[in-house]
Amino acid sequence: MDTEIIKLSGVSDVSPMLSHAADVIKNGGLVVFPTETVYGLGADATNKDAALKIYSAKGRPQDNPLIIHIADPSDAEKYAYTNPVYYKLAEKFMPGPLTVILKSKDSVPKETRGGLDTVAVRCPVNDIARELIKLSGVPIAAPSANLSGSPSPTRPRHVIDDMLGRVDVIIDGGECDFGLESTIVRIDSDDSVTLLRPGKITVADIQELNISVSISDAVISQLKEGDVAESPGMKYRHYAPKSPVVLLDGDVMSCVEYIKSQNIENVGIIVFSEDCDYVKNEVPSAFIYEFSSRDDELGQAHMLFDILRCADKKSHDLIFAPLPKLSGIGLALYNRLIRAAAYQIIKL
Ligand code: TXA
Ligand code: MG
């Protein structure tokens, strides 16, 4: 199919262009749109045929449910059974990069929610995303707009690489602000929450509301054969670059020693800004990917998927990356990198 690309940067009145994209959604078409986390591949969440088109455009298994995007937290009432904990979370974090799993109402077709009796609800803060949802007049079902198995798209170029010819419209809204997908939580019957996917809204952020948080095992560990994934997406090998990735747990000097000892011909190394010169000098044949400064986890989140996509094009024999912390936004970085690395960590 022909894909229309709508470029919004530099346009003073974006409404007519967004109205056109909203018409495509209303007519059952596919529109890629920016959010504050990653680009989404959107369709009318209430139209089962439109939802099914998402799965085929992405090459995604139909048992992996979609998030529905709403313009206002209270719109969740129409699609899900809410509760006071939902509103406590919504008041603090919505609009924003938080997705909440709730029991679904019948207004959401089974196709949208991968056959589950729950539905994932998210109210994005990105202006283009919210305006598109409002103009469409329906919730927009949207997974990340990557082909299944490749990193989520955070730059217009990523979306064009994956989705040109597969969707009706791509809205180019520039780089995504955060760069990793939303935090996902499930509200449990005792009013505590379970973290299913870490993101910009951290465990500590949620605990500050006096909500107790447990972390699903699948956030940091590999599911064992036969385990049931609490979030279906966790069972798929996500964020998988074409070259193998290994995470190194050690200071920069021991990492460099280790990398040198391996004598790898075409090696890529993801390096904190302050270490770039040192690593370039020590391993001159390596391709270095600058990963922001060591303490700048927001900067790292913004860079990660772009780095993984760039590295894909270089056919490295091996890619080394530093092991993130298990707290704060580090947990989100850890969760994505550990999957990219197929759980391979080398302790130095
Ligand atoms: O930031 C984001 O969340 C982006 C943007 C576009 O909003 N969306 C996104 O969607 O990352 P997706 O489909 O790539 O990831 C959603 C994850 C999947 O792993 C899916 O299995 C899980 O959410 N999920 C969706 N509905 C669920 C449900 N009812 N119960 C448990 N997990 C669910
Ligand atoms: Mg995804």
Side-chain angles (χ1 to χ4, degrees):
M1 77 171 70
D2 280 343
T3 300
E4 184 186 352
I5 299 179
I6 301 181
K7 209 167 160 42
L8 295 182
S9 63
V11 177
S12 52
D13 181 10
V14 299
S15 304
M17 289 167 148
L18 288 183
S19 297
H20 166 64
D23 285 341
V24 172
I25 296 272
K26 283 187 227 170
N27 291 324
L30 297 180
V31 175
V32 173
F33 62 98
T35 81
E36 67 278 18
T37 57
V38 302
Y39 273 84
L41 165 54
D44 177 354
T46 63
N47 174 340
K48 67 175 185 333
D49 296 323
L52 288 173
K53 281 193 203 169
I54 293 180
Y55 293 100
S56 57
K58 238 182 108 77
R60 175 174 180 142
Q62 286 182 17
D63 67 348
N64 192 358
L66 309 173
I67 295 175
I68 71 165
H69 296 69
I70 53 180
D72 188 277
S74 63
D75 291 343
E77 295 298 337
K78 292 182 233 162
Y79 310 106
Y81 294 93
T82 62
N83 54 41
V85 180
Y86 169 77
Y87 280 104
K88 208 166 162 184
L89 291 166
E91 203 173 299
K92 180 82 181 177
F93 303 119
M94 290 184 194
L98 179 72
T99 298
V100 182
I101 310 289
L102 296 166
K103 189 162 170 8
S104 184
K105 292 191 172 166
D106 290 339
S107 49
V108 183
K110 284 248 186 245
E111 287 75 4
T112 301
R113 48 193 157 100
L116 298 181
D117 58 9
T118 52
V119 63
V121 176
R122 151 155 152 77
C123 176
V125 69
N126 177 288
D127 287 341
I128 299 167
R130 285 186 85 198
E131 193 57 25
L132 179 68
I133 303 164
K134 278 189 206 154
L135 290 168
S136 302
V138 289
I140 298 185
S144 48
N146 52 288
L147 288 173
S148 216
S150 62
S152 294
T154 57
R155 313 283 191 262
R157 177 172 31 89
H158 303 164
V159 169
I160 289 167
D161 282 351
D162 281 16
M163 287 297 152
L164 201 68
R166 294 177 165 267
V167 298
D168 298 291
V169 173
I170 293 175
I171 302 175
D172 173 346
E175 294 189 1
C176 297
D177 181 27
F178 181 53
L180 300 177
E181 309 85 344
S182 60
T183 303
I184 304 182
V185 295
R186 182 188 66 212
I187 303 175
D188 295 317
S189 53
D190 60 355
D191 287 351
S192 65
V193 307
T194 301
L195 179 75
L196 302 181
R197 182 175 72 184
K200 188 176 184 189
I201 310 293
T202 64
V203 170
D205 291 336
I206 298 170
Q207 284 168 334
E208 264 180 37
L209 300 179
N210 284 322
I211 296 173
S212 108
V213 184
S214 53
I215 300 177
S216 167
D217 287 345
V219 166
I220 55 168
S221 329
Q222 190 166 17
L223 283 172
K224 288 190 276 309
E225 192 78 29
D227 280 357
V228 176
E230 293 178 286
S231 179
M234 289 180 182
K235 71 181 176 216
Y236 297 107
R237 186 175 171 227
H238 250 157
Y239 324 112
K242 294 188 184 82
S243 310
V245 177
V246 169
L247 304 186
L248 295 180
D249 181 10
D251 59 44
V252 62
M253 275 152 79
S254 34
C255 290
V256 159
E257 282 320 301
Y258 178 78
I259 293 168
K260 286 196 323 202
S261 74
Q262 298 299 297
N263 274 322
I264 300 154
E265 204 168 299
N266 176 4
V267 66
I269 315 178
I270 302 178
V271 183
F272 296 125
S273 308
E274 47 273 58
D275 299 332
C276 280
D277 287 344
Y278 171 70
V279 178
K280 263 182 211 153
N281 269 327
E282 292 290 320
V283 200
S285 63
F287 196 94
I288 308 289
Y289 297 93
E290 187 173 343
F291 195 28
S292 301
S293 156
R294 190 183 312 278
D295 296 326
D296 179 14
E297 287 170 334
L298 282 175
Q300 294 160 26
H302 187 75
M303 294 302 297
L304 181 62
F305 289 150
D306 189 45
I307 290 178
L308 292 180
R309 280 181 177 256
C310 291
D312 257 354
K313 298 200 167 124
K314 300 260 187 235
S315 306
H316 294 299
D317 296 319
L318 201 56
I319 300 166
F320 291 104
L323 183 74
K325 287 190 309 218
L326 281 169
S327 57
I329 289 167
L331 186 63
L333 290 161
Y334 186 102
N335 170 267
R336 302 328 188 261
L337 267 170
I338 195 91
R339 284 171 164 68
Y343 301 89
Q344 283 205 75
I345 301 174
I346 294 181
K347 176 118 188 78
L348 299 168

